[in-house]
Amino acid sequence: MKFKQGLFFKGYITIQIKGKKPELFLNQCIREDIAIWDIRRNSEMEIEAKVHLKNLTNIRQIRRRLGYKVSLKEKNGLPFILAHLRFRKPLIIGLFLSLVLIFILSNMVWQVKIVGVSPEMEYKIQERLDDYGLKEGVFKFTLRSVDDIERNITNELKDIMWLGIEEKGTTYIVQGVEKTVVDKEQKSMPQHLVASKDGTIMEMLVEKGSPKVAVYQKVKKGDILVSGIIEEGNGNINGEKEDADDQKDRQQYVHSKGTVMAETWYTTETTVPLTYKHQSLTGDKDHHYSLKIGNFSIPIWDFLSPDYKEKHMEKEDNSLYFLNFKLPFSIEKKTIFEKETTTGKRDEKTAIAEGIAQAKRELKKHTNHDAEILDERILHEKVENGKVKLELLFIVKEDIAKPQPINQGE
Amino acid sequence: MNKWRGRMKQWVAHYFNLPDDVLLDLPRITTIGQLHAYIENHHGLVTFTENEIVVKTNQGYVRVRGENFVLKTMLQEEIIIEGKIQDVQYVDN
């Protein structure tokens, strides 16, 4: 029954053969190797049969030779449906347009929902999202990667602790968690100020509490600088013994406050290479879009590659959707940046200067903003394998007071 | 000459255990209950009505009688009949 395979796609017809002895017509068909099936005898003079569409011309030739009357009764299969549709162009165009429309609309952002934050913060996030292009009415594939947007906004808005963007079809749900400013209930809690680092005290400014150390005194990490316990009876402890209860009454717990500037020492080691090479982007860039089907990609926009000497390429894949279904092709966005490599040499002197600057930058990260570098000294200096190895000492003036709550044991 | 050739073929078919229908161009009729009849190695259709089908073969004719006959398929080598088969008959020239 091989000839009956794919009947619908090839198309077949039902014909009526009229004439004397229609068997002869059938015999002729067999001789010409035309497949016929479902043959029915309607009357003495008439036969009905089905043949492939491709054999229609042969049938006509036989008809002419044998002088039978052959009429088409039914047309079946895809070729006829298509031929029929050709006369209904508006229908086809409408169907096509609606598919295109659905396709376009499926790839647009329809809603950006911001949840979990206060209205004020919502506005701020909205503003940022607009900047990054995530807003209603844009095409999904023009968007930057969601991870990037998340990261950037979390960095830019200080009051946001976490931001998650979830893609749900054509809706983007942005979920934010605000940093809740912890109420400083410790404000009234009694506390000491202790040293956060070893150092020599240079200046003291105590607003509250009783100082336990003096200027130019060396302190170690953890030493109490300003005590939160003030003993009122300080004036008259002239040998008189007082009851323990009494003493406790006279003690007053306060929230000590103040700044204790101290000189602290830091030793760091840095190495600076004598020859350097670093790459940077010049800011010139070129966008390329292509349609990707499996591993095959067809460029859509910008076919010429820019004549950059050195390039840095970033690829981004955005899937296309039809309604909620992910289509097997995607739009690939390629961004090509111009890259610049600078190489150079420096002598020992500049290398040392560079090393010191580098160490200073590093130090700034580890100390408070009000820290001030008083002096720097090179303890050790060595040139090795084309690199300068430095051991540096920094003398820094900074606030070392660190609050420590007093446990009243109640 | 022709007769001698036919005998020779028969002998070959017999001694080499070959199917006769292939070698001798004889019709092979397969029926499935009363529903279908497959006639292979035919030489053309002679009569086809609802109640009777006559097919030409190498030697003579094969007549199939029954009710509601429909030719399911008609190819150069094979005819498939569908309907209610009542009898299959060999008719000489």
Side-chain angles (χ1 to χ4, degrees):
Chain A
M1 297 297 173
K2 213 174 150 195
F3 72 95
K4 277 192 177 172
Q5 282 173 359
L7 262 187
F8 176 75
F9 294 101
K10 286 178 191 158
Y12 61 96
I13 45 177
T14 312
I15 52 172
Q16 273 177 335
I17 304 149
K18 275 183 204 163
K20 227 178 179 185
K21 275 231 158 229
E23 287 92 343
L24 292 175
F25 190 91
L26 296 179
N27 277 333
Q28 190 58 39
C29 289
I30 293 175
R31 231 165 280 144
E32 306 217 353
D33 206 8
I34 299 167
I36 308 181
W37 66 97
D38 287 355
I39 307 161
R40 236 174 268 270
R41 185 98 188 198
N42 289 345
S43 67
E44 179 66 38
M45 301 279 281
E46 195 186 297
I47 270 181
E48 196 182 295
K50 282 176 183 154
V51 288
H52 280 298
L53 175 63
K54 65 174 183 196
N55 291 330
L56 186 63
T57 42
N58 299 23
I59 297 275
R60 280 195 179 129
Q61 277 168 10
I62 297 168
R63 175 184 67 176
R64 211 172 305 140
R65 238 179 296 144
L66 300 182
Y68 282 96
K69 257 191 180 172
V70 176
S71 55
L72 262 106
K73 199 187 164 201
E74 244 180 81
K75 299 167 186 172
N76 297 301
L78 197 64
F80 294 107
I81 294 173
L82 289 179
H84 190 65
L85 285 176
R86 206 177 295 162
F87 296 105
R88 302 200 169 195
K89 264 185 189 146
L91 184 79
I92 301 287
I93 292 167
L95 200 72
F96 180 71
L97 281 182
S98 64
L99 283 178
V100 169
L101 202 67
I102 292 173
F103 174 72
I104 290 172
L105 298 184
S106 306
N107 286 293
M108 269 168 86
V109 178
W110 278 100
Q111 203 181 16
V112 179
K113 260 192 217 163
I114 301 171
V115 289
V117 288
S118 63
E120 179 197 359
M121 188 46 74
E122 196 180 314
Y123 177 74
K124 276 188 190 166
I125 292 173
Q126 185 82 59
E127 236 178 6
R128 304 274 79 216
L129 288 176
D130 282 357
D131 278 1
Y132 288 114
L134 181 59
K135 54 187 166 191
E136 280 102 353
V138 298
F139 285 111
K140 271 186 189 176
F141 46 80
T142 59
L143 286 181
R144 283 217 256 161
S145 90
V146 168
D147 292 340
D148 267 2
I149 298 174
E150 273 176 16
R151 202 176 332 111
N152 287 350
I153 295 181
T154 331
N155 286 342
E156 278 165 32
L157 297 176
K158 290 217 165 85
D159 296 340
I160 282 287
M161 199 165 74
W162 176 83
L163 193 85
I165 302 176
E166 196 189 349
E167 190 187 328
K168 259 192 180 169
T170 53
T171 307
Y172 281 81
I173 298 168
V174 181
Q175 208 158 33
V177 176
E178 273 178 85
K179 276 178 192 162
T180 39
V181 182
V182 179
D183 272 341
K184 287 207 169 156
E185 45 176 337
Q186 288 118 326
K187 220 156 201 171
S188 55
M189 288 275 283
Q191 64 173 21
H192 294 304
L193 289 180
V194 297
S196 61
K197 281 160 196 164
D198 292 4
T200 314
I201 291 162
M202 304 291 287
E203 280 168 39
M204 276 178 83
L205 184 79
V206 180
E207 288 173 46
K208 233 175 181 181
S210 67
K212 293 285 176 194
V213 286
V215 175
Y216 300 124
Q217 191 183 333
K218 273 195 172 152
V219 289
K220 283 206 165 138
K221 187 179 174 183
D223 286 354
I224 294 174
L225 302 175
V226 180
S227 174
I229 304 168
I230 303 172
E231 291 182 29
E232 281 183 340
N234 239 354
N236 49 354
I237 345 163
N238 302 329
E240 281 173 43
K241 280 188 179 176
E242 288 166 29
D243 288 335
D245 282 352
D246 234 20
Q247 205 177 359
K248 212 170 189 179
D249 280 344
R250 297 223 176 140
Q251 274 179 353
Q252 203 190 342
Y253 293 94
V254 294
H255 174 82
S256 51
K257 221 168 143 190
T259 49
V260 180
M261 300 300 275
E263 199 182 272
T264 50
W265 291 13
Y266 290 89
T267 53
T268 52
E269 253 178 64
T270 49
T271 51
V272 182
L274 286 174
T275 55
Y276 59 91
K277 185 177 173 182
H278 60 241
Q279 299 177 325
S280 58
L281 302 178
T282 58
D284 263 2
K285 60 186 172 182
D286 206 20
H287 295 295
H288 281 224
Y289 293 92
S290 51
L291 185 69
K292 227 172 127 184
I293 305 165
N295 283 329
F296 191 70
S297 70
I298 307 159
I300 301 173
W301 183 246
D302 215 349
F303 305 95
L304 300 168
S305 54
D307 51 347
Y308 298 151
K309 269 184 192 163
E310 285 174 274
K311 295 175 205 172
H312 171 73
M313 207 148 68
E314 267 176 27
K315 278 186 186 176
E316 230 176 87
D317 240 5
N318 285 301
S319 307
L320 290 176
Y321 290 85
F322 187 81
L323 294 177
N324 264 340
F325 309 108
K326 208 169 174 179
L327 295 176
F329 30 86
S330 55
I331 286 200
E332 189 183 56
K333 184 180 169 186
K334 247 191 254 172
T335 314
I336 302 166
F337 297 96
E338 189 179 15
K339 202 163 70 176
E340 216 175 42
T341 311
T342 41
T343 51
K345 258 187 179 174
R346 46 192 159 206
D347 54 1
E348 228 178 290
K349 224 173 165 183
T350 48
I352 290 168
E354 178 65 35
I356 291 169
Q358 199 178 305
K360 271 185 183 172
R361 278 199 298 274
E362 200 61 32
L363 189 64
K364 274 265 153 67
K365 281 186 200 166
H366 291 293
T367 54
N368 288 329
H369 294 293
D370 53 1
E372 186 189 342
I373 297 169
L374 294 178
D375 201 4
E376 78 236 1
R377 271 170 217 165
I378 299 164
L379 297 179
H380 195 70
E381 179 194 329
K382 202 162 67 176
V383 183
E384 210 178 52
N385 300 333
K387 284 175 189 165
V388 178
K389 222 175 183 179
L390 290 174
E391 212 178 306
L392 301 164
L393 171 77
F394 288 101
I395 298 166
V396 180
K397 189 174 152 194
E398 62 178 324
D399 187 6
I400 59 166
K402 191 179 84 181
Q404 189 188 58
I406 303 167
N407 195 354
Q408 280 169 299
E410 271 176 50
Chain B
M1 186 65 185
N2 223 344
K3 220 173 183 181
W4 186 79
R5 215 161 128 190
R7 269 194 187 163
M8 188 63 189
K9 274 185 178 174
Q10 212 166 0
W11 183 85
V12 169
H14 185 71
Y15 281 90
F16 291 90
N17 243 341
L18 291 168
D20 292 318
D21 58 329
V22 176
L23 220 60
L24 301 174
D25 195 21
L26 294 172
R28 168 188 274 248
I29 304 168
T30 316
T31 54
I32 298 167
Q34 282 185 294
L35 291 174
H36 293 279
Y38 296 75
I39 305 171
E40 287 160 69
N41 294 333
H42 69 92
H43 281 226
L45 193 69
V46 179
T47 336
F48 167 58
T49 61
E50 283 226 302
N51 304 316
E52 190 188 47
I53 288 172
V54 179
V55 175
K56 195 172 179 250
T57 63
N58 195 17
Q59 303 159 340
Y61 302 87
V62 171
R63 180 195 282 148
V64 183
R65 275 190 284 216
E67 293 163 24
N68 301 326
F69 280 157
V70 168
L71 279 180
K72 215 57 209 152
T73 310
M74 207 168 89
L75 298 172
Q76 224 165 15
E77 300 288 298
E78 188 180 10
I79 285 177
I80 301 171
I81 303 162
E82 197 186 68
K84 197 178 178 195
I85 296 152
Q86 275 157 353
D87 89 62
V88 178
Q89 204 175 17
Y90 284 93
V91 184
D92 286 332
N93 281 331

